[in-house]
Amino acid sequence: AQSVTQPDIHITVSEGASLELRCNYSYGATPYLFWYVQSPGQGLQLLLKYFSGDTLVQGIKGFEAEFKRSQSSFNLRKPSVHWSDAAEYFCAVVPNQAGTALIFGKGTTLSVSS
Amino acid sequence: NAGVMQNPRHLVRRRGQEARLRCSPMKGHSHVYWYRQLPEEGLKFMVYLQKENIIDESGMPKERFSAEFPKEGPSILRIQQVVRGDSAAYFCASSPGPPWEQYFGPGTRLTVT
C-alpha cells in the first residue's frame, strides 16, 4: 500500500547533538516531499520542501533534508539541536503532480535533554 | 502578511449540535485544504476547495460533514449532529496553487461533550 513511514515514534537527543529523523515513502513516481514541525497545541510550520533538482534542500531553523531516490527516503537533519527544537515532526508527501492532498507520516516526537 | 486564520480556536459542542469552523487563507491564496488530526490516526486530508468549487472531497466522511469556499468570505467546514468521535483538531491550509506548498493555520480544537 502507498504510505509514508516515520519509523521512530519518539527520539531524545542531547542539546548540541546532531539529529536525523527518518522518512520513507512508497510511491512509484518521485513525489513532492515536505517536512513540517508542530509544537504542542499549535499548527504546522513548513520546514522545507523538495520538488525537483538538487537532492539536498535547506530549510528554516537550520534544518536540511536529503532526497534519496534509490532508498525512497527523505531524512531530516540538523547538525546541532537546540532545546527549542523539541516538537513533533511530520514528513508529508503529495504523491504526484496530479495530486492535491498531503499524505502525512505518523510523526516523530523529538525531546531535547540538557 | 497575515498567515492562515482559523476561528474559533476552541469549540465545545454537545452531541447533536452543529459545529462551524472557519478558515481565511493567506492573502493571494485561492486554494484551501482541510485536515483532521486524531490522536490515534494522525493527520488526514478531508477536502480541497477553490473559490466556489469543491475539487477533491475524497477524505470527507459521507454523512454530516460539508465544506464550502464562497466567492466572498472564509471557507467553512460544517459538521452537523456532532458525535463524540468528531472531537479532534481541525486544520486548514492554503496554497497559491501548484506545486502544492501548503501553509497551515493554528487549528480549531473541537470537543464534543
Side-chain angles (χ1 to χ4, degrees):
Chain A
Q2 296 181 327
S3 65
V4 180
T5 302
Q6 293 181 248
D8 304 304
I9 297 174
H10 190 191
I11 283 181
T12 299
V13 300
S14 300
E15 191 169 15
S18 64
L19 169 71
E20 182 169 28
L21 302 181
R22 296 182 290 166
C23 174
N24 294 93
Y25 62 90
S26 57
Y27 295 93
T30 298
Y32 297 135
L33 299 158
F34 307 83
W35 275 98
Y36 286 86
V37 61
Q38 184 182 30
S39 297
Q42 303 298 313
L44 284 81
Q45 183 179 23
L46 179 64
L47 285 175
L48 46 76
K49 61 186 183 290
Y50 175 79
F51 294 148
S52 64
D54 191 345
T55 56
L56 184 63
V57 294
Q58 302 297 320
I60 62 171
K61 303 185 179 188
F63 286 93
E64 66 178 26
E66 185 172 14
F67 168 60
K68 292 186 177 180
R69 185 189 306 273
S70 61
Q71 298 176 20
S72 297
S73 69
F74 188 56
N75 294 349
L76 182 72
R77 301 194 294 246
K78 186 169 185 178
S80 178
V81 168
H82 188 261
W83 64 266
S84 61
D85 293 324
E88 190 160 18
Y89 291 80
F90 293 95
C91 179
V93 160
V94 173
N96 54 60
Q97 293 185 24
T100 55
L102 282 167
I103 311 298
F104 284 89
K106 292 288 178 88
T108 297
T109 299
L110 172 65
S111 298
V112 180
S113 61
S114 56
Chain B
N1 185 12
V4 178
M5 309 288 284
Q6 289 188 250
N7 67 80
R9 294 290 305 274
H10 300 274
L11 182 61
V12 179
R13 286 287 178 264
R14 292 189 178 141
R15 280 179 295 171
Q17 291 185 321
E18 178 180 289
R20 284 191 176 225
L21 288 62
R22 295 174 181 77
C23 169
S24 296
M26 288 179 69
K27 187 177 180 180
H29 289 191
S30 58
H31 301 248
V32 166
Y33 315 78
W34 286 92
Y35 294 82
R36 179 165 64 175
Q37 186 175 36
L38 289 162
E40 298 304 319
E41 296 183 14
L43 278 153
K44 301 290 187 186
F45 167 77
M46 299 180 75
V47 62
Y48 161 46
L49 311 101
Q50 295 180 27
K51 287 283 188 180
E52 300 184 279
N53 286 299
I54 296 174
I55 307 301
D56 180 357
E57 56 182 348
S58 59
M60 285 278 270
K62 294 290 185 280
E63 298 178 349
R64 303 187 296 107
F65 285 72
S66 62
E68 63 177 9
F69 189 16
K71 187 176 180 181
E72 301 290 337
S75 175
I76 306 285
L77 180 67
R78 181 183 179 202
I79 311 172
Q80 295 178 289
Q81 299 176 326
V82 296
V83 301
R84 288 238 173 96
D86 297 332
S87 296
Y90 292 82
F91 291 97
C92 168
S94 74
S95 78
W100 317 117
E101 183 175 326
Q102 297 178 26
Y103 295 90
F104 281 76
T108 294
R109 272 86 183 159
L110 173 65
T111 301
V112 179
T113 62

